[in-house]
Amino acid sequence: MFTNRKELLKLCTLSGTTEIGRNCNFVEYGDEIVMIDAGYSFPGQEMYGIDYLIPNVSYLKKNKAKIKAILITHGHLDHTGALKWILPELGYPPIYAGGFAKALIEEKMREYHMLDKVKIFGVDRKSQLRIGRNFQATFIGINHSIPDAFSIFLETPNGNVFFSGDYKIDLTPANEPQTDYDKLRQLRGRIDVALMESTNASNPGKAPSEKEIFENLTELIKKQKGRVVVAAFSSLITRLYSLIEVAKITHRKIVLSGRSLDQAIDIARKKRYITAEDSLFIKEKDINKYADNELLLLCTGSQGERFAALNRISLNEHKYIKIHKGDLIIMSSSEIPENISTIGRMTDRIIGLGADLIKDTIDLKIHSTGHGNQEDMKMMYDLIQPRTVMPIHGPLTFRYFNKQNFLKWGMRDEDILLTDDGQTWMLDGHTWRKGKKVESKPILIDGLGVGDTGDIVLKDRKQLSEFGMFVTVLNMNVKTKKIIGRPRFISRGFVYMKGSQELLKEIENLIFDIHHDWERQSQNSKTFKVEDFKDAIEKELSKLIYKKTEREPIILTVII
Ligand SMILES: [Zn+2]
Ligand SMILES: [Zn+2]
């Protein structure tokens, strides 16, 4: 009975809808599927030992014969990081990505020894692809914080879907063309639903241009007589470009500290997005060969990440970079809310070591987001004028504000669809109806689970080399489960025992408290699991030790 009717168009916001991270959506028509993005997210702090969360692809796995392509909006890991795990499950469907994203993905695939299996094709601002029998994809150049970022317009015989990707409208981008306004305008009247990112939906006004940031940084650094240390996100490639240009203008050599920065700049130079002579870069170990006013240090760790360069510098533990009076630290970054207190402690230490510090403020913009504020969003909306929109890429509060914006700009309530991870939507003639949910609970990647022991070993080594090891030896009576005598402690590379009597006393008390609780619980449940006792000690000790020393040694407990 459906022979003369077109088939229903199905859209699924599989993942990354309700947060910033783990983006993955797909569109299904007839016996064909096209996926958009495959990113990962980082686990919450309570998920010990979990490295990443990736989209649940059980539905796609069941239908893998249908998958014709994975289209990538841009190279950030919240849009590409899950490919490593997803591709083998889905039988390596072809990937289409902009030049920069392609280079980043290939680099990762090489690292994982998967490059020979991956089929990846480059796209550019002119690309329009026929995919399978039912799809046509148009890539539209936009500005974000990484080169070659795209919105994607996907046409099918029974409806068209627009994916904004991450974007801002930059009227003076630093080193790339502006958003392709004409192409966006041509989509008017043709978009049945637009999936719009919501990251900065509650920020009024216009996101500052990268050019403005570049000029402010230049002025600021020009005036300095001492060393300048800039903390920046290694994923904000446009900022790295600006900083390298500033170094050239101010006749400073660049010192890179942080592996992710090295990698990002390496790829940007290979892609000729950043052009710089090798002589512009000097190694960390050589910094003392240069005068202070000849140096611009770029480092990772703007969020106070424990092992990143800036934090090690602040703890005076960096092998080569020691802060001294006259240094200026510039935080060319935003503060992610959950990191604010950690960042505060780090900047306290930096100032304590005698450096000056400058943060991004309203008066002096030295950081700009890659995600548009309300005015950018309004400009995008005016250009494309979609029939319906779906706010995505943000927690409900962000999407709620995004919805308020669309209402303010004249959209009807029923044309703004709030969706959820795993939710499917069917386009039936003119209206979108909710379909069945597909499995969407994120998959936890704990390194070990996917045979990646190497990563864990590396992590341990890193922790050992940074913070050493702390061992507690307990003597326990096998029958009564009482602790005999006092605990003994062994420290290697962590603290000098004789100088830490107070801390050791506290640790000892904590161990007796934990033992007491464990004993009581075990008596109640009539099972004595020594492993649980050990786990509790290691967990509580790492908390206490971090609180007291801001260090994280490997903690081991031996019960004899
Ligand atoms: Zn992004
Ligand atoms: Zn994103």
Side-chain angles (χ1 to χ4, degrees):
M1 66 189 260
F2 288 112
T3 40
N4 290 327
R5 299 232 334 243
K6 284 180 182 167
E7 296 185 55
L8 287 184
L9 175 64
K10 181 164 158 187
L11 161 71
C12 177
T13 50
L14 180 63
S15 172
T17 312
T18 60
E19 67 192 289
I20 298 172
R22 208 166 12 96
N23 291 284
C24 188
N25 299 298
F26 66 86
V27 176
E28 183 170 351
Y29 184 86
D31 58 356
E32 295 183 328
I33 289 176
V34 171
M35 293 167 61
I36 291 88
D37 289 338
Y40 67 40
S41 59
F42 292 104
Q45 274 164 342
E46 68 286 2
M47 299 169 101
Y48 295 105
I50 298 300
D51 295 324
Y52 310 110
L53 283 80
I54 62 167
N56 186 324
V57 290
S58 358
Y59 177 87
L60 291 164
K61 215 172 143 184
K62 270 180 238 146
N63 293 282
K64 70 176 172 191
K66 293 185 177 182
I67 302 172
K68 297 295 158 206
I70 304 179
L71 313 180
I72 301 292
T73 56
H74 64 287
H76 283 153
L77 290 167
D78 61 323
H79 298 257
T80 63
L83 286 169
K84 177 201 167 181
W85 293 280
I86 284 178
L87 287 173
E89 302 235 1
L90 303 182
Y92 294 93
I95 303 167
Y96 298 88
F100 206 84
K102 180 171 176 272
L104 289 168
I105 295 168
E106 283 173 340
E107 184 73 23
K108 282 271 176 249
M109 294 300 141
R110 194 170 299 125
E111 225 175 87
Y112 302 138
H113 309 290
M114 288 167 67
L115 193 56
D116 53 330
K117 296 199 192 72
V118 175
K119 298 183 278 287
I120 179 159
F121 304 95
V123 297
D124 60 27
R125 286 179 167 235
K126 291 187 226 59
S127 296
Q128 191 167 56
L129 314 171
R130 284 293 311 199
I131 300 168
R133 282 169 289 108
N134 295 303
F135 295 97
Q136 175 159 280
T138 307
F139 286 78
I140 302 145
I142 49 168
N143 301 121
H144 179 32
S145 53
I146 187 167
D148 293 335
F150 293 98
S151 294
I152 297 175
F153 180 58
L154 194 62
E155 292 169 82
T156 79
N158 199 18
N160 307 326
V161 185
F162 176 82
F163 299 87
S164 74
D166 296 0
Y167 73 94
K168 75 172 179 185
I169 306 283
D170 195 334
L171 299 173
T172 50
N175 185 27
E176 57 183 358
Q178 284 190 42
T179 294
D180 196 338
Y181 308 116
D182 281 341
K183 230 167 166 178
L184 288 172
R185 212 175 280 118
Q186 283 161 21
L187 303 181
R188 277 186 195 167
R190 299 170 62 201
I191 299 175
D192 292 297
V193 67
L195 278 73
M196 305 297 284
E197 72 134 320
S198 310
T199 318
N200 282 334
S202 61
N203 290 4
K206 176 94 192 56
S209 164
E210 191 55 41
K211 184 87 178 293
E212 182 187 337
I213 307 303
F214 165 70
E215 283 164 1
N216 291 348
L217 284 168
T218 309
E219 280 314 301
L220 179 63
I221 294 173
K222 237 185 210 164
K223 285 190 286 200
Q224 302 306 315
K225 299 202 165 53
R227 296 191 300 186
V228 175
V229 180
V230 183
F233 294 112
S234 57
S235 56
L236 264 63
I237 310 288
T238 50
R239 182 66 37 77
L240 301 183
Y241 164 82
S242 298
L243 288 163
I244 302 256
E245 292 303 304
V246 173
K248 289 183 195 165
I249 294 169
T250 57
H251 309 293
R252 286 172 183 259
K253 298 279 182 200
I254 297 264
V255 184
L256 297 176
S257 189
R259 192 169 155 249
S260 59
L261 266 181
D262 279 336
Q263 285 179 336
I265 289 189
D266 197 39
I267 288 184
R269 286 178 75 196
K270 274 189 197 142
K271 296 296 297 174
R272 311 286 305 154
Y273 175 75
I274 286 176
T275 50
E277 302 283 327
D278 286 344
S279 61
L280 185 69
F281 299 90
I282 61 166
K283 298 243 175 313
E284 288 168 285
K285 65 176 169 51
D286 294 329
I287 53 173
N288 292 328
K289 294 182 187 157
Y290 293 82
D292 284 358
N293 63 2
E294 290 171 342
L295 291 170
L296 177 60
L297 291 74
L298 304 189
C299 59
T300 52
S302 64
Q303 301 306 302
E305 298 95 322
R306 215 161 297 139
F307 298 112
L310 191 59
N311 200 42
R312 284 189 283 139
I313 292 171
S314 80
L315 288 163
N316 215 2
E317 281 179 354
H318 197 286
K319 204 165 167 197
Y320 302 110
I321 305 171
K322 304 285 176 200
I323 291 290
H324 57 66
K325 215 174 158 22
D327 289 343
L328 172 68
I329 314 292
I330 298 177
M331 306 292 283
S332 185
S333 53
S334 55
E335 297 187 353
I336 295 166
E338 52 268 37
N339 300 335
I340 286 176
S341 63
T342 316
I343 299 171
R345 282 197 300 275
M346 177 176 72
T347 50
D348 281 356
R349 289 191 295 268
I350 288 170
I351 295 166
L353 289 170
D356 286 315
L357 178 85
I358 292 187
K359 285 197 190 190
D360 179 49
T361 60
I362 307 271
D363 302 323
L364 180 61
K365 292 307 295 173
I366 50 169
H367 172 69
S368 171
T369 160
H371 303 271
N373 290 350
Q374 285 171 359
E375 241 174 75
D376 306 62
M377 293 177 154
K378 170 84 161 58
M379 287 165 88
M380 176 64 104
Y381 171 72
D382 285 342
L383 284 165
I384 59 174
Q385 297 176 10
R387 221 160 46 67
T388 57
V389 294
M390 237 177 235
I392 57 159
H393 203 278
L396 185 57
T397 309
F398 293 32
R399 289 181 292 133
Y400 165 84
F401 280 113
N402 208 355
K403 178 171 177 173
Q404 298 304 312
N405 292 337
F406 290 118
L407 287 171
K408 205 164 61 197
W409 303 330
M411 284 197 86
R412 295 183 310 173
D413 192 78
E414 60 267 37
D415 293 334
I416 307 163
L417 311 172
L418 285 184
T419 185
D420 217 341
D421 278 358
Q423 183 65 55
T424 62
W425 295 83
M426 318 296 280
L427 182 64
D428 146 25
H430 205 66
T431 16
W432 287 97
R433 282 182 217 292
K434 271 190 186 175
K436 265 213 270 183
K437 270 198 169 189
V438 305
E439 242 180 282
S440 67
K441 199 163 175 273
I443 305 296
L444 310 182
I445 303 289
D446 69 353
L448 282 171
V450 288
D452 239 342
T453 325
D455 284 352
I456 301 286
V457 172
L458 276 182
K459 220 184 203 168
D460 280 356
R461 277 190 199 157
K462 199 168 179 184
Q463 210 176 344
L464 263 178
S465 73
E466 299 272 346
F467 300 119
M469 180 167 75
F470 183 80
V471 186
T472 305
V473 185
L474 294 171
N475 211 337
M476 187 187 271
N477 183 309
V478 187
K479 280 206 186 98
T480 63
K481 310 288 181 203
K482 297 276 180 220
I483 295 176
I484 305 165
R486 292 175 58 186
R488 278 182 295 135
F489 302 115
I490 304 162
S491 156
R492 289 285 178 273
F494 165 53
V495 288
Y496 179 55
M497 292 292 211
K498 284 201 175 115
S500 316
Q501 288 312 314
E502 209 175 304
L503 175 66
L504 294 180
K505 187 72 212 153
E506 233 176 299
I507 291 175
E508 186 174 332
N509 289 340
L510 180 65
I511 289 173
F512 282 116
D513 286 349
I514 296 169
H515 181 258
H516 183 76
D517 289 347
W518 171 75
E519 243 187 333
R520 218 188 33 220
Q521 277 165 13
S522 303
Q523 273 153 4
N524 287 345
S525 64
K526 301 201 169 54
T527 46
F528 286 80
K529 283 194 202 136
V530 179
E531 275 306 310
D532 288 354
F533 176 46
K534 254 172 87 168
D535 288 348
I537 294 179
E538 285 166 13
K539 197 168 152 194
E540 293 306 317
L541 277 195
S542 64
K543 276 194 214 157
L544 175 73
I545 287 176
Y546 185 70
K547 207 169 117 194
K548 295 285 170 185
T549 65
E550 296 211 3
R551 290 169 192 220
E552 216 184 24
I554 297 245
I555 294 175
L556 296 174
T557 313
V558 182
I559 299 178
I560 43 178

